[in-house]
Amino acid sequence: MLPYFPPASPDELLYSLLARFHSHVGETSPKRTLDALFGNRSVRAGVLLQGHLQAPSERLPPHRGLTPGKLLEDFTLYPYLTAFQPEDVRLAVRDALFLGHAEWVTLRLGLAASRVQGATALRYCPACSSEMLVQYGELYWRRDHQLPGVTVCPEHGVRLQDSTVCPGTIGQHSFIAVDEDNCPKVSSDAQDDASIPWMVAKRCARLLRSPPLPMSLVEWGAHYYHELRQRGFGKGEDRIDQQRLSRDFASWSGEPEMPGAESWLAAMARKHRKAFHPLQHVLLGLFLDAHAPVVEDVPLGIGPWPCRNPLAEHYGQPVVQLAGTHRESGKLIGQFSCSCGYVFSLAAAPGSKPRILDLGPLFRQRLRQLVAEGAGLRASAWALGVDPGTVRRHAERLGLDVPWASLKPRPHVSRSPRAACPRPPSPDPVPRRDWPVLDGQLCRALRAEAERIKALSPPSRASAAVLQRQFGRRDWLASRLSKLPMTARALAEESESVEQFRLRRVAWAAEELRRRNLPLKPWRLRRMAGLPRRASPQVEAALKAYEGP
């Protein structure tokens, strides 16, 4: 344990703290300082980030509370450089800096390839230097003066000055303390409080103290898309007006207008496929703050929209896209299309109802199946979720030999006094049902239907709703199951849960891959079975069972 270590000053850089230790103990050899601090002479001195933080933390006095996490969070630029990174990246960088080198971290964060480059020399603020000498009797390197892209002091608005200490040229194992020789006194005027450089400096310095909660790249892209649309930069139904955004940003920042297809600003306004430098996030955030939200007129709403096809597995899920718009009788009409083939149109007017343009191939396939099974007209309409007239019309278009009677034209009846109209005959009384007999019939039919569905390839889920829908009696059965005990038991036994169906899909996918002479890999099985990225433990165990040694 080290017998002495200097107390930290407000917002001091870890490089500065270690440099002051080297100066206070009167050590002349950087190697011996590395031995004392890290127990390793090959450790490199880092300005923005410092590696091997576990070693000095174990050598410092415990009452100081300088854990590896505190050294990283309070004395390096880690909070700023990872402020807009996902949680997994933050944790990976944190673990690497505790035990390893910082060079890998700069590559992982994209700092080496970024257009935003840091200063080659350590920087200082003349106004801060004067206050340090009065309050602490010595100078130190501040963290917020070394932020890449920051040109003024966030506290005084004074332009930062380059010192004569250039870490890239003085040796990679040396910690150089600040003094009045390498940071000479110069006069500098303060910026306007509302100037963009000072606002950028204050926003960047705030990230050191309180970075935002971690979000994924997809979430950051959606956040900026929503904020830009709210401020009137939307174009059409789902795009951003890149030309206007580039023009207004150039006017706000005073920089030359950037080509929309090549600028980082255009890339941030789209779906994020890579991480961006924190300075670019700060600039876009300040630009959004300078523009008040406006009410954007989106007559058809913001998609995707829910699927209206009751026969599709994704029924009710937001998967429908806007295929196009046109005007009809002065109204804006949107045409919406789903991947299942269901197409409908909707007017941008309150209370308008959708107009079905195409019921899709699932409807036609199910209609052919119902007709082949001899289902009645109303039962077919109930199973398909449409009215009987729609079933008749589509059956005629498909040329199906239907089991129900064809629609006969109504004879023309002339208007006559009410007394001349013949009285309709009284209906025959409805006979009472024999529930035990009906229960046995429905039970056998339900089990046969479940067996037929489970034999389909590719597999289809035999859920309780699907089994009841085959008879056109979903609500009818649900309200009478107390009178149909055998049917209720068969429905409970034959209906599949989502997990059971996925396990059956995995088995089917394995057989299909064997038939095609393809290797049984979990990723192939997951793709062919249509499984999500993470399923239940039983399904994941079934996938891992096919993983080779």
Side-chain angles (χ1 to χ4, degrees):
M1 183 182 300
L2 294 174
Y4 167 78
F5 195 74
S9 300
D11 201 39
E12 184 172 8
L13 192 66
L14 181 59
Y15 179 96
S16 173
L17 193 59
L18 301 182
R20 287 200 298 120
F21 167 81
H22 175 75
S23 175
H24 288 184
V25 298
E27 186 58 73
T28 58
S29 172
K31 294 292 186 177
R32 285 197 291 268
T33 298
L34 292 177
D35 267 339
L37 291 171
F38 297 92
N40 185 352
R41 294 192 172 196
S42 64
V43 173
R44 297 178 180 177
V47 176
L48 306 185
L49 298 169
Q50 178 63 54
H52 298 279
L53 293 176
Q54 185 72 35
S57 174
E58 295 173 352
R59 288 166 169 77
L60 298 179
H63 69 275
R64 300 285 295 274
L66 295 177
T67 63
K70 186 172 181 61
L71 290 175
L72 184 67
E73 297 280 351
D74 297 347
F75 297 94
T76 72
L77 269 60
Y78 169 83
Y80 171 78
L81 297 176
T82 61
F84 303 95
Q85 295 285 353
E87 178 69 16
D88 58 336
V89 176
R90 292 188 183 185
L91 294 177
V93 170
R94 185 184 184 92
D95 294 341
L97 291 175
F98 282 176
L99 300 173
H101 296 285
E103 288 73 14
W104 172 87
V105 171
T106 57
L107 296 175
R108 182 66 178 85
L109 296 176
L111 300 179
S114 175
R115 295 183 179 180
V116 181
Q117 297 296 325
T120 57
L122 289 171
R123 294 178 298 176
Y124 68 99
C125 166
C128 288
S129 298
S130 301
E131 295 178 358
M132 290 176 189
L133 291 174
V134 173
Q135 295 182 16
Y136 308 106
E138 64 177 336
L139 304 176
Y140 63 89
W141 302 113
R142 283 186 53 154
R143 282 197 305 170
D144 50 13
H145 293 169
Q146 319 306 326
L147 292 168
V150 173
T151 58
V152 300
C153 174
E155 186 174 341
H156 300 98
V158 175
R159 179 168 295 279
L160 297 174
Q161 303 295 322
D162 288 342
S163 70
T164 59
V165 179
C166 299
T169 59
I170 61 177
Q172 57 184 355
H173 304 292
S174 301
F175 294 95
I176 307 300
V178 57
D179 54 36
E180 296 186 63
D181 293 331
N182 53 36
C183 295
K185 292 183 179 181
V186 294
S187 60
S188 181
D189 296 331
Q191 298 275 330
D192 182 13
D193 185 56
S195 66
I196 292 179
W198 200 354
M199 288 192 297
V200 168
K202 289 187 287 188
R203 180 70 62 91
C204 290
R206 191 187 311 164
L207 290 176
L208 287 171
R209 299 186 298 271
S210 57
L213 295 176
M215 293 197 302
S216 66
L217 299 182
V218 175
E219 291 173 325
W220 277 117
H223 166 74
Y224 287 128
Y225 171 84
H226 175 72
E227 294 295 324
L228 288 170
R229 296 280 299 193
Q230 274 198 335
R231 284 156 178 78
F233 290 98
K235 182 179 181 181
E237 300 298 331
D238 57 354
R239 290 185 294 169
I240 297 296
D241 191 344
Q242 296 283 6
Q243 292 184 353
R244 182 187 169 196
L245 175 61
S246 177
R247 183 174 60 251
D248 288 10
F249 185 85
S251 175
W252 169 79
S253 64
E255 297 292 335
E257 187 172 345
M258 296 171 289
E262 301 175 359
S263 71
W264 59 267
L265 181 63
M268 292 190 72
R270 301 190 185 101
K271 183 185 296 184
H272 286 203
R273 293 178 174 84
K274 63 175 182 178
F276 294 90
H277 196 278
L279 178 65
Q280 295 167 340
H281 283 272
V282 167
L283 286 171
L284 182 53
L286 290 172
F287 173 73
L288 293 172
D289 292 345
H291 293 74
V294 298
V295 179
E296 184 182 7
D297 184 17
V298 185
L300 294 172
I302 299 178
W305 293 262
C307 177
R308 297 175 176 269
N309 188 357
L311 302 178
E313 292 185 358
H314 53 256
Y315 173 68
Q317 298 180 15
V319 295
V320 176
Q321 300 295 331
L322 182 66
T325 58
H326 66 278
R327 291 200 171 269
E328 184 177 320
S329 301
K331 294 181 180 179
L332 178 65
I333 308 295
Q335 181 172 323
F336 302 86
S337 176
C338 184
S339 59
C340 64
Y342 195 89
V343 182
F344 65 94
S345 63
L346 185 66
S352 61
K353 295 182 178 180
R355 178 184 176 188
I356 301 174
L357 304 179
D358 190 353
L359 290 167
L362 293 178
F363 175 87
R364 293 185 283 273
Q365 178 184 356
R366 184 67 183 131
L367 177 58
R368 288 191 180 96
Q369 182 182 350
L370 290 170
V371 171
E373 294 172 356
L377 175 62
R378 295 191 178 276
S380 300
W382 188 268
L384 294 170
V386 296
D387 60 273
T390 303
V391 175
R392 285 184 182 276
R393 186 166 60 255
H394 282 269
E396 291 178 2
R397 291 177 183 175
L398 297 173
L400 301 180
D401 186 12
V402 296
W404 56 78
S406 59
L407 186 63
K408 297 179 180 179
R410 295 183 179 180
H412 177 70
V413 180
S414 59
R415 295 180 176 271
S416 59
R418 184 168 182 172
C421 294
R423 241 179 124 178
S426 59
D428 295 332
V430 179
R432 296 177 61 86
R433 287 190 175 92
D434 190 344
W435 291 105
V437 174
L438 182 60
D439 188 17
Q441 294 174 351
L442 290 176
C443 177
R444 290 189 295 273
L446 190 144
R447 291 188 184 276
E449 181 64 21
E451 184 178 354
R452 183 194 66 79
I453 293 176
K454 293 177 182 179
L456 295 176
S457 182
S460 180
R461 183 186 169 198
S463 64
V466 170
L467 291 175
Q468 295 182 67
R469 197 185 301 136
Q470 308 303 319
F471 305 101
R473 296 183 172 188
R474 179 179 179 182
D475 291 341
W476 189 90
L477 281 177
S479 60
R480 292 167 176 80
L481 288 178
S482 60
K483 300 179 181 180
L484 305 168
M486 291 191 297
T487 304
R489 186 166 54 253
L491 183 63
E493 294 173 355
E494 298 295 342
S495 58
E496 282 185 309
S497 66
V498 174
E499 184 178 70
Q500 292 172 336
F501 173 60
R502 287 176 174 173
L503 289 172
R504 196 158 59 85
R505 293 275 300 186
V506 171
W508 166 82
E511 292 298 328
E512 188 69 15
L513 289 175
R514 290 192 189 100
R515 187 180 65 82
R516 301 182 186 180
N517 293 325
L518 294 173
L520 294 180
K521 297 292 185 181
W523 68 268
R524 288 183 184 273
L525 292 170
R526 189 185 299 274
R527 177 180 296 178
M528 180 164 286
L531 300 179
R533 210 177 256 182
R534 292 295 303 171
S536 65
Q538 289 81 356
V539 176
E540 293 295 332
L543 288 173
K544 289 183 179 179
Y546 291 96
E547 191 171 9

